[in-house]
Amino acid sequence: MLFMRSDSDLTARARIRDAALDLFGREGVNRVSVRAIAAQAGVSPALVLHHFGSKDGLRKACDAYLVEMLRGDGTSPDLDDTSRIGSMIEDATPIRRYLARAFLDESPDAAALFDSMVAGSERWLEQGVAEGWVRPAADPHARAAIYVGWLLTPVVLHAHLARALGEDDLAETGATLRFSGTALEMLTQGVFADERVRSAYEKVRNERS
Amino acid sequence: MLFMRSDSDLTARARIRDAALDLFGREGVNRVSVRAIAAQAGVSPALVLHHFGSKDGLRKACDAYLVEMLRGDGTSPDLDDTSRIGSMIEDATPIRRYLARAFLDESPDAAALFDSMVAGSERWLEQGVAEGWVRPAADPHARAAIYVGWLLTPVVLHAHLARALGEDDLAETGATLRFSGTALEMLTQGVFADERVRSAYEKVRNERS
DNA sequence: CAGCATACTAAACAAACGTTCAGCCTCTGA
DNA sequence: TCAGAGGCTGAACGTTTGTTTAGTATGCTG
């Protein structure tokens, strides 16, 4: 529901950036031409480069805009609670798609965002341990990293998860409830009931080495 | 350790396919030219199209080869246990990278692979419930889908997880042990100790609607 | 009013792209 | 021994690409 406004309200520069974010996220940066972006924004191709210098400059501007949108008002330097990350995930499709590609392309901004989420989640989980609503972990840092990875699953595998769940879009209310309800159940009660899976895994590993 | 052989042993066709898999996975299909693939394979650009018809034909051949590699000998139509998926994840870097991009590009083969993994995991978890080593779930199908998403985290977010853990490569023995040990701990004992996180989440959701 | 920066466009550019084509080897089967 | 097929190459083709350049319109500042 965020990021809603009419296109004609925007400056051409903003329209170009929005078109780029949308198309880059949809197709990947290299499948999208400057001309296609210009067409979607309703301007000439030359204006794109007038404002952003080059196609790569436009990509960097998209990265920066992404970070700006996701960090929000910036009251906290790190993304430090799950519901905040959760709302990021539910948010506008173009941003989610762009973010997924930025992660895969290892853009520096996306990497910084990831690290920031890990740092924030580690603090948040640590606080939970202190207050008793999070279980202690043998390796809290590794757990925070994996936790963030799990949280980002609907970002990077959105289409596949939606298809597997038989839903059109995970952002629909029903699908979101089903998804996060199940994930929270898994995170709260665990998936495996005892140590049998872990010992089986360790046995396989030892056999292989 | 799989997929080891000397390059000169391979037919030109196989060398082209391997080069394409490597470069496509590294850079993305559109950032890689037919000429670059030909150069890495040590052949002329024309031979690439002689064997595969077109660049897209080569991409499809890579998809098919990926599926062939990952399904293994095909004793089971579905990928039905976690250790099998785990070994896929640890396996050769080019394949892992290519798989991540195939997921993002929603290639039909990758989608089928994902669905197959969900189906297999659902059966595997169901068996675990029957035998008592997996906890029952309110929505077993959704749980299987999310479980597969979580298993694939090191595939699609490999570089970020490795960096967050301070490791060069998750496939190194030490890093693998640390990663899977922590993940298994999270899956076995759970992350959240009680229902407080879930109720907090539901409260936030209700407020927003 | 002149002067100047800014927003913007049409047209053109060189480079890189996927692809085609004609032809050269080398092997195989008759 | 000859014909044909398949692996393979060098050179070229037309298209699309990102980018540049020259120029117009507009609106602000002195």
Side-chain angles (χ1 to χ4, degrees):
Chain A
M1 283 301 169
L2 266 69
F3 318 129
M4 274 209 169
R5 73 236 130 162
S6 112
D7 270 15
S8 53
D9 287 350
L10 297 170
T11 63
R13 197 190 144 94
R15 268 181 2 248
I16 292 168
R17 191 236 300 122
D18 284 0
L21 203 91
D22 179 42
L23 292 173
F24 284 168
R26 231 187 264 275
E27 312 273 351
V29 174
N30 294 270
R31 261 187 286 257
V32 176
S33 66
V34 172
R35 284 165 176 83
I37 296 165
Q40 176 152 331
V43 300
S44 73
L47 189 63
V48 174
L49 296 136
H50 171 71
H51 279 304
F52 296 95
S54 67
K55 189 187 182 183
D56 194 59
L58 176 56
R59 210 219 67 240
K60 282 178 185 147
C62 286
D63 277 17
Y65 181 68
L66 176 84
V67 171
E68 185 193 328
M69 283 291 108
L70 294 183
R71 290 213 194 254
D73 48 12
T75 45
S76 161
D78 285 334
L79 296 157
D80 58 352
D81 74 287
T82 295
S83 73
R84 183 94 168 275
I85 298 179
S87 74
M88 152 194 326
I89 287 158
E90 292 166 30
D91 253 328
T93 306
I95 292 200
R96 180 175 24 80
R97 276 199 285 237
Y98 186 91
L99 179 60
R101 295 210 184 261
F103 277 134
L104 210 70
D105 290 340
E106 294 172 41
S107 110
D109 283 322
L113 202 68
F114 187 91
D115 293 343
S116 161
M117 288 177 2
V118 172
S121 293
E122 189 170 357
R123 274 205 315 276
W124 183 75
L125 290 166
E126 197 179 357
Q127 183 191 338
V129 172
E131 295 175 6
W133 44 271
V134 169
R135 297 181 200 276
D139 187 338
H141 185 66
R143 177 169 73 171
I146 294 171
Y147 179 74
V148 169
W150 288 1
L151 281 185
L152 288 175
T153 301
V155 171
V156 289
L157 291 172
H158 183 272
H160 301 287
L161 286 169
R163 176 169 27 81
L165 291 173
E167 314 269 1
D168 279 352
D169 188 347
L170 286 184
E172 277 173 30
T173 317
T176 301
L177 278 177
R178 190 174 168 209
F179 182 88
S180 47
T182 304
L184 277 168
E185 181 194 89
M186 294 166 75
L187 289 170
T188 304
Q189 70 170 30
V191 171
F192 302 134
D194 53 42
E195 297 294 321
R196 269 180 276 180
V197 175
R198 199 199 303 226
S199 4
Y201 168 79
E202 269 157 21
K203 199 175 148 211
V204 168
R205 277 212 67 82
N206 291 336
E207 275 169 13
R208 246 190 286 163
S209 62
Chain B
M1 283 302 170
L2 265 69
F3 319 130
M4 274 210 169
R5 71 235 132 159
S6 112
D7 270 16
S8 53
D9 287 349
L10 297 171
T11 62
R13 195 188 144 94
R15 262 172 17 238
I16 292 168
R17 190 237 299 123
D18 284 1
L21 203 90
D22 179 41
L23 292 173
F24 285 168
R26 232 186 263 276
E27 312 272 351
V29 175
N30 295 269
R31 261 187 287 258
V32 176
S33 66
V34 172
R35 285 165 175 84
I37 296 165
Q40 176 152 331
V43 299
S44 72
L47 189 62
V48 174
L49 296 135
H50 172 70
H51 279 304
F52 296 95
S54 67
K55 189 187 182 183
D56 195 59
L58 176 56
R59 211 220 65 241
K60 282 179 185 147
C62 286
D63 277 17
Y65 181 68
L66 176 84
V67 171
E68 185 192 329
M69 284 290 107
L70 294 183
R71 291 215 194 252
D73 49 13
T75 45
S76 161
D78 285 334
L79 296 158
D80 57 353
D81 75 287
T82 296
S83 72
R84 183 95 168 276
I85 298 179
S87 74
M88 153 194 325
I89 286 158
E90 292 166 30
D91 253 328
T93 307
I95 291 200
R96 179 174 26 78
R97 276 199 285 239
Y98 186 90
L99 179 59
R101 295 209 183 262
F103 277 134
L104 209 70
D105 290 341
E106 294 172 39
S107 110
D109 283 323
L113 203 67
F114 186 90
D115 294 344
S116 161
M117 288 179 353
V118 172
S121 294
E122 189 170 356
R123 273 205 316 275
W124 183 75
L125 290 167
E126 197 179 358
Q127 183 191 341
V129 172
E131 296 174 6
W133 44 272
V134 169
R135 297 181 200 276
D139 187 339
H141 185 65
R143 177 169 73 170
I146 294 172
Y147 180 75
V148 168
W150 288 0
L151 280 185
L152 288 175
T153 301
V155 171
V156 289
L157 292 172
H158 183 272
H160 301 286
L161 286 168
R163 175 169 27 80
L165 291 174
E167 314 269 3
D168 279 352
D169 187 347
L170 286 183
E172 279 173 28
T173 316
T176 300
L177 278 177
R178 189 174 169 209
F179 182 88
S180 48
T182 304
L184 277 168
E185 181 195 89
M186 294 165 76
L187 288 170
T188 303
Q189 70 171 32
V191 171
F192 302 133
D194 53 41
E195 297 295 321
R196 270 180 275 181
V197 175
R198 199 200 303 225
S199 1
Y201 168 77
E202 270 157 20
K203 201 176 146 210
V204 169
R205 278 212 66 82
N206 291 336
E207 275 169 13
R208 246 191 286 163
S209 62

